Amino acid sequence: MATKVYIVYYSMYGHVEKLAEEIKKGAASVEAVEAKLWQVPETLPEEVLGKMSAPPKSDVPVITPNDLAEADGFIFGFPTRFGMMSAQFKAFLDATGGLWRTQQLAGKPAGIFYSTGSQGGGQETTALTAITQLVHHGMIFVPIGYTFGAGMFEMEQVKGGSPYGAGTYAGDGSRLPSELELAQAFHQGKYIAGITKKLKAAA
């Protein structure tokens, strides 16, 4: 029976979505793992999104809280807002009270990835503050640590991400994830999928 890994994200301008796509590839590269992309519901009206020059959403399916119960593991992604996850993703998690009451997500592994506007914009605090959500559900936070190897120590080019998880810098919105950032995202997907598979087999 396949191990199900859900990559659940919110992306306003596409930066987090680019990482999510690469994370899915990494997760799917693990034998007997079924990786699926989901986006959380938008909370802003179209009029506001238009004023913010946000592009239309992709055709990735929109998740409901109950969908989470079907997965064996998760990798959650979001842009930062003042050093914390975006309100759209927080609103989705706020709607998971039913799962919390029954502890349906307890014991399931979860990783985190993110996008910030600048190098001091919350690459670590966004992940760190998101861990509280996992804790209340009893989920197991899986950081990537330094398993990505030499790429974790890159100093010659701007690189997002940290031991907490993959990341990118959006800058003014025009910067796209670099090849190194995408490689780290692929690694995170593969790494967490492997751990999820091991935990499921041991259950």
Side-chain angles (χ1 to χ4, degrees):
M1 193 173 180
T3 298
K4 291 185 177 181
V5 175
Y6 284 0
I7 299 100
V8 185
Y9 67 92
Y10 174 76
S11 189
M12 180 174 282
Y13 296 106
H15 300 83
V16 173
E17 188 164 68
K18 288 282 187 196
L19 293 180
E21 290 166 353
E22 209 62 28
I23 286 171
K24 180 189 175 184
K25 292 177 188 175
S29 74
V30 178
E31 187 179 352
V33 167
E34 179 185 314
K36 185 170 184 179
L37 288 175
W38 296 90
Q39 54 184 332
V40 302
E42 180 57 79
T43 59
L44 293 175
E46 288 296 330
E47 181 185 358
V48 173
L49 290 169
K51 290 178 179 177
M52 297 174 75
S53 300
K57 292 286 187 281
S58 68
D59 58 1
V60 169
V62 175
I63 196 167
T64 67
N66 288 338
D67 290 321
L68 293 175
E70 302 167 0
D72 299 301
F74 310 95
I75 311 175
F76 298 127
F78 28 78
T80 187
R81 299 291 185 264
F82 301 115
M84 300 175 74
M85 70 171 64
S86 64
Q88 289 87 344
F89 208 94
K90 181 63 166 61
F92 171 71
L93 291 175
D94 284 350
T96 60
L99 297 174
W100 167 76
R101 278 192 298 274
T102 52
Q103 286 294 285
Q104 288 187 67
L105 305 182
K108 295 186 178 185
I112 294 169
F113 63 105
Y114 39 81
S115 171
T116 68
S118 64
Q119 293 188 62
Q123 286 280 311
E124 293 192 350
T125 60
T126 302
L128 184 61
T129 52
I131 293 171
T132 60
Q133 311 294 307
L134 310 184
V135 167
H136 283 261
H137 276 289
M139 287 190 271
I140 303 167
F141 174 52
V142 182
I144 60 171
Y146 285 82
T147 60
F148 185 50
M152 296 296 293
F153 300 94
E154 173 60 41
M155 296 293 286
E156 299 303 314
Q157 61 173 295
V158 173
K159 184 193 82 67
S162 73
Y164 290 94
T168 188
Y169 295 113
D172 62 1
S174 61
R175 182 185 185 272
L176 295 175
S178 68
E179 288 302 313
L180 187 58
E181 289 169 341
L182 293 174
Q184 186 176 39
F186 182 95
H187 169 75
Q188 182 177 22
K190 184 176 180 180
Y191 180 70
I192 294 179
I195 289 175
T196 304
K197 182 180 175 181
K198 288 177 185 176
L199 286 173
K200 183 178 182 180

